[in-house]
C-alpha cells in the first residue's frame, strides 16, 4: 500500500494518493474503495464522527439502543454497516477538518485543531453532500425560523426536539420523513403545510409506474404521509403565499391553501423546499458546471464515474446532483474505483468488473429520481420571491426589490450584483443566496438562469483565522504570475 509522504519539513505539504472530502455515504464508500486498492487515502470530515447528514451520529445512536434506532428508521440504521467498513479500512480519518481551499491540481487547504494545513493528493474526491435550498419568504430571517434539516440534525446528534408550538412548511421527500420523526419524538407540531402544487402531480404521473418499480422509496413516502394525516395534526396541501409574522422573533405564520386563509400562532417555523448540491469546492477548484432545469440548481459536469473537467478532481454523491443515499453510496464507490484506475492501482477490466453492481443500481434508481424531481420541483415563488421586501442576501441585507432595481439599471448577473449591492459578499459567501440571486436576476432580465450564470467562488470557502494561517503546516505553491486584477469577458456572469 502507498503511504502518505511526510518529510518532517513543515514547509512541505503532506501527500496522499487520494483525498476524500466529506464523511457521508459517498465519502465513506469512496474512501473504502480507494484504500482497498492499496492507495494511501485520507478522508477529511468537517464533523466529529463519520456519517454525514444522512447517517449523522450513527455510531452514538447505535449505542443508545432500540428506541433511537426505531425512531430514525431502518434506512438510517443501515448506515452503521458502512461506518464499520470505513473504520476497518486503511483510510486515514481526519475529523473536525474544514476544507477552505482546493486547487485544480489536488492541493487542499484545511483547518482543524487550531491550525491550517496544506496537503496534496494525486486525486481528490469531493463528497461534500447537499445543503437545504434557501426559502426566502417574508419573515424567514426572524429568530425562530430554521430549516427542517436542522431540526432533524438536532434529533440525530443530541436526541433533542423543540417543545414550543411549531409549524412545518415546505415540499420534498424529507418533509414527510423528518416530520414523522419529529412527531414520533414528541415535538409540538401545530400544522404541516405541504407546498407541492397540484399541477406537479399531473406532470409527474406518467413517470409513476417506473418509479414504483425502482424500489420501495415511494411506498415509504406514502406510509409517512398516512402516519402524519392520522396523527391528528392539521395537514394542508397545495399551500402557498407563506408569511412568517413577528417583530423580534416568530409569533405566527400565515398562508393560503386554495381559497382558505391559514393562520397559526407558533414560536418555531421549520421550512424546507428540498436540497441542492454543495458545489462550492468544485467551483473554487475551477471544475465546469452546468445548470439543471429539473433540479433548479448548478451541478458539476461529470462522466459516469464522477470524473470532472479537471483531471485531479472527482465528485460523488449529492454534491453532483440530488439522488439519495443509496445512489450516493454507489457513486462514491465508483469515484473511488475510478481514482484507483486513473492512478494505475486497477486495470480497466478490473474497474468494469468491480463497478458493475454500483452502475446497475444507479441505472435502476434513475426513474425514481426523475419522478421525484418533477413532483417536488421548487415553486416559482421560492426561486423568485415575488415580494420586493423579502430579504434575499441575509448577510448583507439585500432585498428582492433591490436586486430587481439593479437589474433595471444594467446588472446582468450575480457577479456584477456584488458590486451593485454586495449581495453574496457576506460571511457565507453566497451559500445562502447565490441561487436566489441568479434566479431573480434571470427573471428580471428575461434571460435563462444558465445564461445568467452563478457566483464566482473564491477561497476561503470556510472561515479561517489569521492565527490558524500563521501556524500553517505545509505551504501551497506560489500563485501563477499574472496581473493583480484579472480581466474577464463582458458577460462574465454567463461563464461557468
Amino acid at each position: 500500500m502507498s503511504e502518505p509522504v511526510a518529510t518532517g519539513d513543515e514547509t512541505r505539504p503532506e501527500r496522499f494518493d487520494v483525498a476524500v472530502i466529506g464523511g457521508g455515504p459517498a465519502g465513506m464508500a469512496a474512501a473504502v474503495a480507494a484504500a482497498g486498492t492499496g492507495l494511501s487515502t485520507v478522508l477529511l470530515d468537517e464533523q466529529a464522527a463519520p456519517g454525514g447528514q444522512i447517517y449523522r451520529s450513527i455510531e452514538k445512536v447505535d449505542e443508545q439502543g432500540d428506541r433511537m434506532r426505531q425512531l430514525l428508521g431502518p434506512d438510517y440504521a443501515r448506515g452503521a454497516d458502512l461506518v464499520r467498513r470505513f473504520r476497518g479500512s486503511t483510510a486515514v480519518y481526519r475529523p473536525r477538518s474544514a476544507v477552505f481551499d482546493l486547487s485544480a491540481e489536488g492541493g487542499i487547504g484545511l483547518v482543524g485543531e487550531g491550525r491550517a494545513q496544506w496537503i496534496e493528493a494525486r486525486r481528490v474526491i469531493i463528497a461534500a453532500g447537499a445543503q437545504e435550498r434557501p426559502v426566502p419568504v417574508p419573515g424567514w430571517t426572524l429568530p425562530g425560523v430554521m430549516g427542517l434539516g436542522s431540526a432533524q440534525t438536532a434529533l440525530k446528534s443530541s436526541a433533542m426536539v423543540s417543545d414550543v408550538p411549531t409549524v412545518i412548511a415546505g415540499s420534498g421527500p424529507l418533509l414527510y420523513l423528518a416530520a414523522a420523526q419529529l412527531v414520533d419524538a414528541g415535538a409540538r407540531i401545530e400544522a404541516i403545510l405541504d407546498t407541492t402544487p397540484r399541477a406537479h402531480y399531473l406532470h409527474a404521473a406518467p413517470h409513476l409506474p417506473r418509479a414504483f418499480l425502482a424500489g420501495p422509496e415511494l411506498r415509504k413516502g406514502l406510509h409517512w404521509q398516512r402516519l402524519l394525516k392520522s396523527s391528528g395534526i392539521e395537514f394542508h396541501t397545495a399551500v402557498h403565499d407563506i408569511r412568517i409574522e413577528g417583530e423580534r422573533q416568530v409569533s405566527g405564520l400565515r398562508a393560503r391553501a386554495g381559497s382558505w386563509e391559514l393562520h397559526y400562532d407558533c414560536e418555531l417555523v421549520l421550512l424546507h423546499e428540498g436540497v441542492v448540491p454543495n458545489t462550492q469546492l468544485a467551483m473554487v477548484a475551477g471544475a465546469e458546471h452546468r445548470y439543471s432545469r429539473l433540479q433548479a440548481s448548478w451541478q458539476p459536469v461529470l462522466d459516469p464515474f464522477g470524473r470532472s473537467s479537471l483531471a485531479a478532481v472527482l465528485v460523488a454523491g449529492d454534491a453532483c446532483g440530488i439522488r439519495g443515499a443509496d445512489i450516493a453510496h454507489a457513486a462514491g464507490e465508483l469515484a473511488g474505483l475510478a481514482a484507483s484506475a486513473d492512478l494505475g492501482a486497477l486495470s480497466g477490466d478490473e474497474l468494469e468488473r468491480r463497478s458493475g453492481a454500483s452502475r446497475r443500481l444507479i441505472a435502476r434508481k434513475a426513474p425514481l429520481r426523475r419522478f421525484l424531481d418533477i413532483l417536488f420541483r421548487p415553486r416559482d415563488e421560492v426561486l423568485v420571491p415575488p415580494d420586493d421586501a423579502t430579504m434575499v442576501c441575509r448577510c448583507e441585507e439585500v432585498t428582492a426589490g433591490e436586486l430587481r432595481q439593479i437589474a433595471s439599471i444594467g446588472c446582468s448577473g450575480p457577479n456584477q450584483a456584488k458590486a451593485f449591492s454586495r449581495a453574496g459578499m457576506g460571511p457565507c459567501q453566497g451559500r445562502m443566496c447565490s441561487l436566489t440571486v441568479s434566479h431573480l436576476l434571470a427573471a428580471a432580465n428575461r434571460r435563462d438562469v444558465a445564461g445568467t450564470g452563478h457566483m464566482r467562488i473564491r477561497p476561503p470557502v470556510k472561515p479561517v483565522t489569521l492565527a490558524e494561517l500563521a501556524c500553517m503546516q505545509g505551504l501551497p505553491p506560489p500563485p501563477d504570475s499574472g496581473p493583480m486584477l484579472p480581466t474577464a469577458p463582458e458577460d462574465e456572469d454567463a461563464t461557468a
Side-chain angles (χ1 to χ4, degrees):
M1 182 185 73
S2 301
E3 296 289 339
V5 176
T7 64
D9 181 357
E10 291 199 352
T11 65
R12 296 185 62 185
E14 191 175 6
R15 293 181 175 88
F16 293 87
D17 291 323
V18 177
V20 180
I21 303 173
M28 288 188 289
V32 169
T37 63
L39 297 178
S40 62
T41 304
V42 62
L43 190 147
L44 307 171
D45 189 1
E46 196 166 330
Q47 305 305 321
Q53 175 62 15
I54 296 294
Y55 302 133
R56 182 179 293 273
S57 302
I58 182 65
E59 291 172 308
K60 183 169 68 174
V61 169
D62 207 37
E63 296 169 357
Q64 290 175 341
D66 293 338
R67 171 56 182 154
M68 280 299 291
R69 285 197 297 270
Q70 181 182 5
L71 181 66
L72 296 173
D75 290 338
Y76 172 80
R78 199 170 61 220
D81 179 62
L82 177 57
V83 172
R84 282 191 289 269
R85 288 174 54 211
F86 168 67
R87 291 286 198 185
S89 76
T90 59
V92 177
Y93 180 51
R94 293 194 177 169
R96 298 186 177 92
S97 297
V99 175
F100 64 82
D101 194 9
L102 176 62
S103 75
E105 297 75 29
I108 302 169
L110 61 108
V111 60
E113 299 182 349
R115 68 183 303 172
Q117 184 180 6
W118 185 263
I119 68 174
E120 293 179 350
R122 297 164 68 195
R123 289 293 183 273
V124 177
I125 300 173
I126 301 172
Q131 64 182 66
E132 284 193 274
R133 182 185 295 277
V135 188
V137 298
W140 76 305
T141 59
L142 284 169
V145 181
M146 295 171 53
L148 179 59
S150 299
Q152 190 190 46
T153 295
L155 175 62
K156 290 179 178 178
S157 60
S158 305
M160 292 176 56
V161 293
S162 174
D163 60 355
V164 301
T166 302
V167 173
I168 298 174
S171 178
L174 181 64
L175 182 82
Y176 309 130
L177 169 60
Q181 290 172 341
L182 292 173
V183 169
D184 196 20
R188 291 180 57 188
I189 309 299
E190 301 294 312
I192 298 169
L193 310 180
D194 187 342
T195 61
T196 309
R198 291 192 175 92
H200 286 196
Y201 287 91
L202 296 175
H203 297 154
H207 304 274
L208 182 58
R210 294 189 66 197
F212 257 113
L213 294 175
E217 287 83 356
L218 289 186
R219 289 186 288 276
K220 293 175 185 176
L222 292 172
H223 172 67
W224 296 330
Q225 276 189 332
R226 286 193 296 269
L227 286 178
L228 293 171
K229 291 180 178 179
S230 64
S231 65
I233 297 170
E234 280 196 42
F235 192 107
H236 293 277
T237 59
V239 174
H240 58 97
D241 195 20
I242 294 172
R243 296 174 178 272
I244 301 167
E245 299 176 325
E247 293 296 330
R248 296 189 176 182
Q249 64 183 47
V250 171
S251 62
L253 178 145
R254 292 185 182 274
R256 296 182 62 86
S259 60
W260 288 84
E261 291 276 358
L262 306 175
H263 179 262
Y264 301 95
D265 294 324
C266 58
E267 297 177 36
L268 178 64
V269 174
L270 302 177
L271 297 175
H272 181 76
E273 290 288 349
V275 295
V276 296
N278 186 341
T279 58
Q280 288 204 325
L281 285 174
M283 285 183 174
V284 83
E288 181 184 355
H289 285 69
R290 62 177 165 228
Y291 180 74
S292 167
R293 295 181 184 277
L294 196 57
Q295 294 197 353
S297 63
W298 293 93
Q299 300 176 0
V301 178
L302 306 172
D303 79 355
F305 287 88
R307 298 182 181 98
S308 77
S309 59
L310 306 173
V313 177
L314 300 89
V315 190
D318 282 351
C320 58
I322 308 305
R323 296 184 291 178
D326 288 345
I327 294 183
H329 184 158
E333 185 169 52
L334 291 180
L337 293 173
S340 298
D342 292 348
L343 298 179
L346 278 183
S347 67
D349 290 343
E350 192 71 3
L351 173 63
E352 287 297 312
R353 185 184 68 79
R354 291 200 190 187
S355 65
S358 292
R359 288 186 284 119
R360 287 191 294 272
L361 183 145
I362 291 172
R364 188 173 72 250
K365 297 284 186 182
L368 170 67
R369 190 68 249 175
R370 183 165 183 82
F371 172 80
L372 294 176
D373 287 343
I374 295 171
L375 178 60
F376 296 123
R377 191 180 191 281
R379 297 164 294 129
D380 289 343
E381 68 181 77
V382 171
L383 300 176
V384 182
D387 189 331
D388 281 347
T390 300
M391 198 74 69
V392 171
C393 176
R394 302 164 63 109
C395 299
E396 298 295 328
E397 298 185 342
V398 180
T399 65
E402 290 176 75
L403 289 167
R404 290 189 179 93
Q405 183 180 18
I406 65 173
S408 70
I409 59 174
C411 179
S412 62
N415 294 306
Q416 283 184 319
K418 295 178 182 179
F420 278 75
S421 68
R422 290 192 56 83
M425 295 186 70
C428 86
Q429 299 210 57
R431 191 184 302 272
M432 290 297 295
C433 70
S434 60
L435 274 174
T436 308
V437 171
S438 290
H439 281 99
L440 201 152
L441 291 176
N445 290 313
R446 298 182 180 179
R447 298 178 66 186
D448 61 16
V449 180
T452 298
H454 58 71
M455 284 186 182
R456 188 181 299 107
I457 306 298
R458 292 185 173 92
V461 299
K462 292 293 177 69
V464 55
T465 67
L466 290 176
E468 289 166 335
L469 289 173
C471 56
M472 187 169 188
Q473 179 181 353
L475 298 179
D480 295 334
S481 59
M484 293 286 289
L485 297 174
T487 58
E490 184 176 347
D491 64 340
E492 61 179 13
D493 282 300
T495 64

